[in-house]
Amino acid sequence: MIELWYAPTPNGWKITIMLEECGLPYRLRTMSLRGDQHSDAYARICPTGKMPAIVDETPNDGGAPRTLFETGAILLYLAEKSGQFMPQSGAGRDSVLSWLMWQVSALGPMLGQNGHFLLYAPEPVPYAQRRFREEAQRLYGVLDRQLARTGAYIAGPDYSIADIACFPWVMTHKAQRFTLDDYPQVKRWYANLRARPALQRGLAIGREQKLLGGETQRKVHGE
């Protein structure tokens, strides 16, 4: 059983989508980001105070429970545990790893900063708004050109953890005042992924649960 510490954000959705796609059993521990991420209990799971994190109580090697944080590490671990959405070797694996690292180092952070200064900053900061919007536009262009080369999926012919990592951040495009009409290959890819039943289940996880400050609730999936 995998225990997932979770809140419904793009980074949280990466992991619920992956777990639903893999069909792995998991237990959900919902978090309020009004403080749960800084609790002593969570610090024992994730010393960086960032969400999400997992504890795999039944690792494949039969050893002690495994704790992982950072979404790139979690996605890679779950892909290797399940044997899905990640080539085992060769150029295909290299491509998936490269695009996964691109998401966690570039697409996610830059869209996060763009969204922060656009939607949440207490007062406008024109330089920051311009800087991060231009970088977000550049990254959308990178993704659009890559999908023009590869077709259905980001890293090659098969659906992978690179797609799972990128999708929840692209899902924020309307709130961030982008239109996918400007990026036709991304628009096609987005619609294709959005129709996947497992992805839809991953996005729906936790919506039926009211997140209360300091409270943790549990729900079991896959059993």
Side-chain angles (χ1 to χ4, degrees):
M1 174 67 68
I2 292 170
E3 181 175 69
L4 168 62
W5 293 67
Y6 167 84
T9 71
N11 285 331
W13 289 324
K14 292 181 196 177
I15 310 307
T16 51
I17 290 169
M18 180 62 174
L19 287 165
E20 291 292 333
E21 291 278 13
C22 291
L24 292 170
Y26 65 99
R27 179 170 61 247
L28 194 69
R29 294 197 61 156
T30 57
M31 302 172 64
S32 166
L33 297 183
R34 295 194 295 269
D36 285 355
Q37 74 273 32
H38 303 306
S39 69
D40 291 342
Y42 190 61
R44 291 191 288 272
I45 303 297
C46 178
T48 67
K50 292 175 60 180
M51 184 286 307
I54 67 167
V55 179
D56 184 0
E57 298 167 350
T58 54
N60 286 357
D61 64 6
R66 302 282 185 83
T67 299
L68 290 98
F69 52 92
E70 293 295 332
T71 57
I74 296 170
L75 288 171
L76 182 57
Y77 177 84
L78 294 176
E80 293 178 339
K81 178 180 177 70
S82 67
Q84 299 179 71
F85 311 120
M86 179 70 181
Q88 293 185 358
S89 62
R93 181 181 177 86
D94 295 342
S95 181
V96 171
L97 283 173
S98 294
W99 286 100
L100 176 64
M101 296 305 114
W102 176 80
Q103 191 284 313
V104 298
S105 67
L107 185 68
M110 292 301 102
L111 290 183
Q113 293 292 344
N114 180 67
H116 173 79
F117 284 104
L118 179 65
L119 303 170
Y120 303 114
E123 59 186 38
V125 184
Y127 171 78
Q129 290 178 337
R130 183 173 64 254
R131 166 74 176 90
F132 289 113
R133 183 165 185 83
E134 289 175 354
E135 182 62 6
Q137 289 172 323
R138 186 187 73 82
L139 294 170
Y140 268 109
V142 168
L143 184 56
D144 202 66
R145 291 189 295 274
Q146 173 66 7
L147 286 164
R149 288 190 291 267
T150 58
Y153 304 112
I154 294 171
D158 299 318
Y159 182 59
S160 76
I161 53 176
D163 301 287
I164 292 170
C166 290
F167 180 89
W169 280 103
V170 175
M171 195 172 71
T172 70
H173 66 274
K174 290 183 180 178
Q176 297 206 24
R177 301 177 192 170
F178 286 100
T179 174
L180 296 187
D181 291 339
D182 293 337
Y183 308 97
Q185 301 302 324
V186 176
K187 184 177 182 178
R188 170 187 54 78
W189 166 86
Y190 180 83
N192 180 32
L193 265 63
R194 192 70 179 82
R196 295 179 67 92
L199 184 144
Q200 293 175 16
R201 292 195 303 272
L203 293 176
I205 297 302
R207 288 182 180 174
E208 73 278 14
Q209 298 183 351
K210 186 176 181 181
L211 299 183
L212 301 174
E215 292 190 4
T216 302
Q217 303 176 42
R218 291 173 180 263
K219 185 171 184 179
V220 176
H221 293 262
E223 290 188 317

